[in-house]
Amino acid sequence: MVGLRSLILLLSISLSPLIGLSQICESGLGYCDSESVLSSKILIKGGTVVNADHLEVADVYVEDGVIVDVRPNIKVSDEFRVVDATGKFVMPGGIDPHTHLAMEFMGAETIDSFFSGQAAALAGGTTMHIDFVIPVRGSLSKGYEAYVEKAKLSCMDYGFHMAITKWDDTVSKEMEIMVKEKGINSFKFFMAYKGALMINDELLLEGLKKCKSLGALAMVHAENGDAVFEGQKRMIELGITGPEGHALSRPPVLEGEATARAIRLAAFVNTPLYVVHVMSIDAMEEIARAQKSGQKVIGEPVVSGLVLDDSTLWDPDFITAAKFVMSPPIRASGHGKALQAALSTGILKLVGTDHCTFNSTQKSIGIDDFRKIPNGVNGLEERMHLVWDTMVESGQLSVTDFVRVTSTECAKLFNIYPRKGAIRAGSDADIIIFNPNSTFHISAKSHHSKSDTNVYEGRSGKGKVEVTIAGGKIVWENEELKVVPGSGKYISMPPFNYLYHGIDKADENYFASFKAPLSPPHPHHNHDSV
C-alpha cells in the first residue's frame, strides 16, 4: 500500500506542482499547507544576527528565496510575513557535511529517504546536507544517476560527495566528469570494510593524485580494514558475538594508524585531506600533529563521538546495544571530552553526523554475529541542539563559533560560501531562529526520522530551534513541519577550495629542493596533468 501511495505521489509531482501539493498533503507523506509553500516575503525583526565572524542586532528581509537586506529597523512597504525574533539568535541554517540517506549497505537500505531524512533535518535547524554517492559496481556515473533519482524526493538543498571503491582509467575519467560537469568537488576513500568498500594504499595514492589535479578534496574513512578483519575473527574465536564485539574488534589504535597513514600519503602527494568522523584521541592527535607541521588536514568529529560513550554497547538488551553500532565505533569515556576540547581549540573544524539510520528490525540481522549488524546511527535532526548544549552551554564554544562549526566552515570547505553559511545580502535564505532560553527533549516517539530508535533517547538540554526557513520558505514553526517532496535543490560545488591556496608554491619549493636537473613530465607519463 505504501509503495502504491509513493507511486501516486511521484506521478502527481511530475504531472503538476499544484496537483502534487494537494496529493502530498492528503497522502500523509508530506507536512504542508499551501500558504507556507507559496509565501515568499519574510521580515525577521529584532533578533541578534549571528555569523561566524560577527554578531549584531538587526532585521533580516527575505524575498524569493534570497536574503535581500540585513540591518536594523528595516521598513518594507509590501505585503510580507513578519517573524519576531526579539531575544533570539538569527543564524544561518546548519549544513551537515556527512549523511547517508537511502544508502544500500550491509544487506539493508538506510531507513531515511531523502524526504524523511531532510524533513528531520529541517525540524532540527539543518537546511542543507552533503550526502555520499556510492558507486554502482564501481561505476561513478551509474552511482550518480541512482542518487539523482533518490534525491527527487528532497525537500531542502543538498550536495553530493562521491565514494571511490576501485581504480582504473574509467574511474579516473569519471572523476573529471563529476568535478567539471556534475558539481561534485570531494571524493571519499574507505580504508575499512574489507571485501566491500575498502581500497588499498596503491588506490588511495592514485586517488589523492587525481583529486589534486582536479582541485577536489580527498576524504578518508580512516580505520585499518585488514586489522579490523583480524580483530573481528579474534572476537568470534573468543565467543564474543554481541554488539560489544564491534567496539572490541576495532580499537582506537586502528583508527590512529589509518589516520596517520592517510595523512602521510597526502603529505607525500602534497594535497589537502579531510578525515571524516574522527572518533578517538588517537586519530585527533595525528591530525593535530600534522596541522602543527603546516599540513592541510581537516578533522570532522560527529555528534555521536562528541556526546556518547561505548558503555551502551554492553547493554544486555540487544536492540538497545545494537542501535549504537557504527564505524569507527563510539569510544570509551574520555575520548568524547578530548574531541570536544579539540573542537573548541580549532584542531577539529566542523561537526557532521554520519546520519545512517537502520531500524531495530534491520539491526537485528546481526543478533548472533555483531559483524552483520548494519553500521550507523541517527543525528541529522539532533546535531544543532546537541552541539549547542554540549559546546556553547558549557562555554567551550562562543555563539559565533557555533555558527562556524555547524554551517560556515562546511560552506567554505565545499566552496559554496557565502551563498550558504552566512546571513548577508545575496546569500540563500536558509535561516534559523534559535531561542537560547528554550529547552529541547529528544525521543524516538517525537523525532521525524523514520527510525524506531534514537541513540540520544531521553536527552534534554538548553537551546531550541524555533523557526527554520529553507529556500526562503518557513518550513518549521510552532513544532510543525511544512515541507513538500521535490522542493529541494541540488547545489553544485566548484573545485579548488581555500585549502588549495599555496599548493603550487609548495610544489615548486619541493622540486627546487631536489638540487637535480628536472625534465618536464611527458603527457603519456602523467595521466593526471591538467
Side-chain angles (χ1 to χ4, degrees):
M1 188 64 199
V2 171
L4 182 61
R5 278 168 62 195
S6 299
L7 187 61
I8 292 166
L9 170 64
L10 288 170
L11 281 171
S12 70
I13 293 169
S14 61
L15 288 171
S16 150
L18 291 175
I19 295 172
L21 180 60
S22 58
Q23 282 278 4
I24 291 154
C25 296
E26 287 162 20
S27 71
L29 286 169
Y31 319 81
C32 61
D33 66 26
S34 54
E35 185 206 348
S36 74
V37 173
L38 301 174
S39 61
S40 70
K41 297 178 181 179
I42 303 165
L43 180 61
I44 304 166
K45 293 286 291 177
T48 300
V49 174
V50 188
N51 281 301
D53 57 351
H54 181 62
L55 71 162
E56 60 177 327
V57 175
D59 299 345
V60 180
Y61 179 58
V62 168
E63 196 172 318
D64 297 327
V66 177
I67 297 170
V68 178
D69 204 358
V70 183
R71 60 186 166 85
N73 305 314
I74 295 175
K75 301 281 186 286
V76 193
S77 55
D78 236 336
E79 285 184 17
F80 52 87
R81 169 79 196 276
V82 176
V83 180
D84 183 8
T86 308
K88 299 169 188 176
F89 293 119
V90 181
M91 302 172 169
I95 309 173
D96 190 334
H98 191 152
T99 62
H100 300 281
L101 301 180
M103 177 196 182
E104 289 150 41
F105 185 51
M106 296 182 73
E109 182 173 320
T110 54
I111 199 76
D112 278 323
S113 67
F114 271 76
F115 181 64
S116 69
Q118 291 184 355
L122 290 168
T126 288
T127 53
M128 180 181 169
H129 70 113
I130 313 177
D131 210 84
F132 287 88
V133 173
I134 308 297
V136 173
R137 292 181 297 282
S139 165
L140 275 54
S141 300
K142 285 194 175 70
Y144 176 78
E145 285 159 18
Y147 271 75
V148 166
E149 198 58 37
K150 293 172 200 255
K152 282 181 177 171
L153 286 173
S154 68
C155 57
M156 74 183 198
D157 291 358
Y158 61 95
F160 288 146
H161 309 289
M162 174 70 73
I164 303 293
T165 54
K166 67 173 216 180
W167 191 261
D168 54 30
D169 283 347
T170 306
V171 170
S172 180
K173 287 189 183 78
E174 283 189 318
M175 281 176 74
E176 285 188 39
I177 293 165
M178 291 302 141
V179 172
K180 292 173 181 172
E181 297 172 27
K182 306 299 187 191
I184 291 173
N185 66 1
S186 48
F187 295 93
K188 181 179 180 182
F189 303 88
F190 289 89
M191 300 170 80
Y193 303 121
K194 187 170 179 168
L197 300 169
M198 179 177 151
I199 52 94
N200 60 22
D201 286 357
E202 182 186 4
L203 193 160
L204 180 56
L205 278 165
E206 290 293 343
L208 289 169
K209 280 161 44 187
K210 191 69 184 180
C211 282
K212 181 181 181 179
S213 75
L214 294 170
L217 185 53
M219 315 175 85
V220 287
H221 171 139
E223 286 182 289
N224 186 315
D226 290 321
V228 167
F229 185 73
E230 182 58 35
Q232 289 175 329
K233 279 197 307 194
R234 183 192 293 170
M235 291 309 125
I236 296 297
E237 282 165 10
L238 291 168
I240 298 170
T241 58
E244 70 278 8
H246 177 74
L248 294 169
S249 68
R250 46 206 316 148
V253 66
L254 302 189
E255 189 188 348
E257 186 280 330
T259 303
R261 183 160 36 104
I263 285 170
R264 284 163 172 78
L265 293 179
F268 177 61
V269 174
N270 185 31
T271 195
L273 184 71
Y274 182 117
V275 184
V276 305
H277 50 41
V278 176
M279 297 293 282
S280 64
I281 292 169
D282 306 50
M284 179 270 288
E285 287 183 340
E286 294 295 344
I287 291 164
R289 188 175 298 127
Q291 288 172 350
K292 211 172 273 184
S293 73
Q295 195 175 339
K296 294 175 177 181
V297 182
I298 299 292
E300 168 209 90
V302 289
V303 179
S304 50
L306 291 169
V307 308
L308 300 174
D309 66 54
D310 70 352
S311 58
T312 46
L313 288 163
W314 273 260
D315 194 290
D317 176 61
F318 173 83
I319 296 299
T320 303
K323 74 179 176 183
F324 293 93
V325 168
M326 65 173 289
S327 293
I330 295 161
R331 302 298 186 186
S333 184
H335 286 270
K337 278 274 186 280
L339 296 177
Q340 289 175 30
L343 182 64
S344 73
T345 55
I347 293 165
L348 301 176
K349 293 282 188 276
L350 73 169
V351 183
T353 59
D354 195 6
H355 183 93
C356 186
T357 47
F358 297 97
N359 67 16
S360 53
T361 308
Q362 292 171 309
K363 291 267 189 179
S364 294
I365 296 166
I367 194 153
D368 297 319
D369 185 344
F370 67 84
R371 296 172 297 182
K372 294 177 183 165
I373 301 170
N375 285 203
V377 302
N378 61 287
L380 246 175
E381 185 168 357
E382 298 81 11
R383 178 181 73 122
M384 300 288 278
H385 290 131
L386 288 169
V387 173
W388 180 274
D389 189 56
T390 305
M391 299 300 299
V392 183
E393 284 298 320
S394 65
Q396 294 181 89
L397 282 183
S398 67
V399 182
T400 50
D401 282 337
F402 173 78
V403 168
R404 178 176 55 80
V405 304
T406 59
S407 182
T408 309
E409 183 61 28
C410 186
K412 287 181 175 177
L413 278 170
F414 297 101
N415 237 358
I416 49 174
Y417 179 85
R419 179 183 176 183
K420 302 287 187 189
I423 305 282
R424 57 191 253 186
S427 298
D428 285 358
D430 292 344
I431 302 167
I432 59 171
I433 297 173
F434 189 92
N435 187 344
N437 299 312
S438 194
T439 55
F440 66 86
H441 180 74
I442 298 171
S443 171
K445 292 185 180 70
S446 57
H447 72 196
H448 296 84
S449 162
K450 281 163 66 179
S451 176
D452 60 347
T453 63
N454 191 312
V455 292
Y456 309 104
E457 185 69 45
R459 281 180 179 257
S460 297
K462 280 286 291 287
K464 178 97 173 68
V465 175
E466 294 189 338
V467 179
T468 304
I469 298 168
K473 307 282 192 296
I474 295 176
V475 292
W476 170 253
E477 188 180 30
N478 301 323
E479 300 292 306
E480 273 181 20
L481 266 173
K482 297 169 183 174
V483 287
V484 192
S487 57
K489 294 191 304 294
Y490 176 68
I491 303 297
S492 183
M493 300 183 288
F496 292 104
N497 69 9
Y498 75 85
L499 296 173
Y500 271 93
H501 302 171
I503 288 274
D504 290 351
K505 286 269 183 288
D507 279 343
E508 282 172 26
N509 293 336
Y510 173 62
F511 292 128
S513 74
F514 287 6
K515 298 186 176 62
L518 302 177
S519 59
H522 298 292
H524 66 273
H525 284 154
N526 182 10
H527 296 298
D528 293 331
S529 60
V530 184

